[in-house]
Amino acid sequence: MKKAHILLIEDETHIAQGLIFNLEAEGYRVTHVETCQSARSAFEQLQPDLAILDLMLPDGHGLTLCREFRRASPQLPILILTALGDEQERVAGLAEGADDYLSKPFNLNEFLLRVAGMLRRSGWYHPEEKGAEPSRL
Ligand code: CA
């Protein structure tokens, strides 16, 4: 079964390391980048199944990336990570096409459940026991 490929854009190393460790433990493939520039090339080259996007990045704002990703890929699930209590950023993120958000610091289990839920809703996730079913169109 193909692993979901997650593009993680997060410049805070300790947060990124924790997320990578736990996402990989859940069976996902993770590509981690720390800048808008490397996020753009990774997005084009890898065509990820889901993007996790920090907003404050060293070379720009995550909302710009969110808008670009959404324009290029209407189906891509996008989860944004915002500063705690920053209502403006949450609203702006949703307005730019993000599907969901989490405020830092967040509960790890909630994070993993949201990722799983977004992948499921996006139609990427097909349980193996239903693998023989004809595809529904
Ligand atoms: Ca940051």
Side-chain angles (χ1 to χ4, degrees):
M1 183 170 139
K2 180 179 167 285
K3 288 183 178 183
H5 189 176
I6 295 175
L7 176 58
L8 172 64
I9 303 141
E10 168 60 81
D11 63 319
E12 286 165 74
T13 308
H14 69 286
I15 294 178
Q17 283 174 343
L19 297 184
I20 293 165
F21 179 84
N22 284 282
L23 288 168
E24 289 182 345
E26 292 290 311
Y28 303 119
R29 183 176 157 216
V30 183
T31 296
H32 171 226
V33 297
E34 300 186 347
T35 64
C36 292
Q37 191 181 3
S38 45
R40 288 187 181 101
S41 44
F43 174 76
E44 282 181 20
Q45 286 167 21
L46 305 172
Q47 300 187 313
D49 299 302
L50 181 143
I52 299 167
L53 188 52
D54 181 35
L55 291 184
M56 301 306 289
L57 295 163
D59 61 342
H61 202 283
L63 285 179
T64 311
L65 283 179
C66 186
R67 189 183 314 136
E68 292 172 10
F69 288 1
R70 177 54 69 229
R71 196 182 299 142
S73 178
Q75 305 298 325
L76 175 74
I78 302 175
L79 173 66
I80 55 174
L81 306 177
T82 69
L84 180 65
D86 197 329
E87 190 180 359
Q88 275 191 321
E89 287 207 326
R90 292 203 303 272
V91 173
L94 295 172
E96 294 294 356
D99 298 287
D100 206 351
Y101 66 85
L102 274 175
S103 297
K104 297 179 186 177
F106 45 79
N107 177 287
L108 188 58
N109 286 329
E110 183 181 2
F111 167 78
L112 293 171
L113 285 168
R114 287 196 190 213
V115 167
M118 291 171 81
L119 286 168
R120 195 167 54 238
R121 288 195 298 278
S122 79
W124 179 87
Y125 180 73
H126 304 289
E128 278 174 301
E129 60 270 22
K130 290 186 178 174
E133 256 187 13
S135 57
R136 287 162 293 173
L137 294 174

Short mmCIF file of all heavy atoms in Angstrom, two decimals, residues 10-12 54 56-57 104, ligand 1:
data_model
loop_
_atom_site.label_atom_id
_atom_site.label_comp_id
_atom_site.label_asym_id
_atom_site.label_seq_id
_atom_site.Cartn_x
_atom_site.Cartn_y
_atom_site.Cartn_z
N GLU A 10 8.07 23.78 8.17
CA GLU A 10 8.17 24.23 9.58
C GLU A 10 9.63 24.55 9.86
O GLU A 10 10.50 23.71 9.67
CB GLU A 10 7.67 23.11 10.49
CG GLU A 10 7.95 23.27 11.97
CD GLU A 10 7.33 24.52 12.56
OE1 GLU A 10 6.12 24.49 12.88
OE2 GLU A 10 8.04 25.53 12.68
N ASP A 11 9.89 25.79 10.30
CA ASP A 11 11.29 26.19 10.51
C ASP A 11 11.76 26.01 11.96
O ASP A 11 12.93 26.24 12.25
CB ASP A 11 11.50 27.64 10.06
CG ASP A 11 10.67 28.61 10.88
OD1 ASP A 11 9.51 28.29 11.16
OD2 ASP A 11 11.19 29.67 11.25
N GLU A 12 10.85 25.64 12.85
CA GLU A 12 11.29 25.41 14.23
C GLU A 12 11.68 23.94 14.37
O GLU A 12 10.83 23.05 14.36
CB GLU A 12 10.18 25.77 15.21
CG GLU A 12 10.01 27.28 15.34
CD GLU A 12 8.71 27.66 16.02
OE1 GLU A 12 8.61 27.48 17.24
OE2 GLU A 12 7.78 28.11 15.32
N ASP A 54 3.53 25.82 8.49
CA ASP A 54 3.74 26.85 9.50
C ASP A 54 3.59 28.21 8.82
O ASP A 54 3.84 28.33 7.62
CB ASP A 54 5.15 26.69 10.08
CG ASP A 54 5.44 27.71 11.16
OD1 ASP A 54 4.52 28.07 11.92
OD2 ASP A 54 6.60 28.15 11.26
N MET A 56 4.82 31.50 10.04
CA MET A 56 5.96 32.41 10.11
C MET A 56 7.21 31.67 9.66
O MET A 56 7.76 30.85 10.39
CB MET A 56 6.13 32.93 11.54
CG MET A 56 4.90 33.66 12.07
SD MET A 56 4.34 35.01 11.00
CE MET A 56 5.67 36.18 11.28
N LEU A 57 7.66 31.98 8.44
CA LEU A 57 8.82 31.29 7.87
C LEU A 57 9.92 32.30 7.61
O LEU A 57 9.65 33.49 7.45
CB LEU A 57 8.41 30.57 6.58
CG LEU A 57 7.40 29.43 6.82
CD1 LEU A 57 6.72 29.02 5.53
CD2 LEU A 57 8.09 28.23 7.46
N LYS A 104 -0.51 26.41 17.99
CA LYS A 104 0.61 25.91 18.79
C LYS A 104 0.51 26.46 20.21
O LYS A 104 0.15 27.62 20.37
CB LYS A 104 1.94 26.39 18.20
CG LYS A 104 2.24 25.88 16.82
CD LYS A 104 3.59 26.48 16.40
CE LYS A 104 3.91 26.15 14.96
NZ LYS A 104 5.18 26.77 14.55
CA CA B 1 7.92 29.46 12.22
#
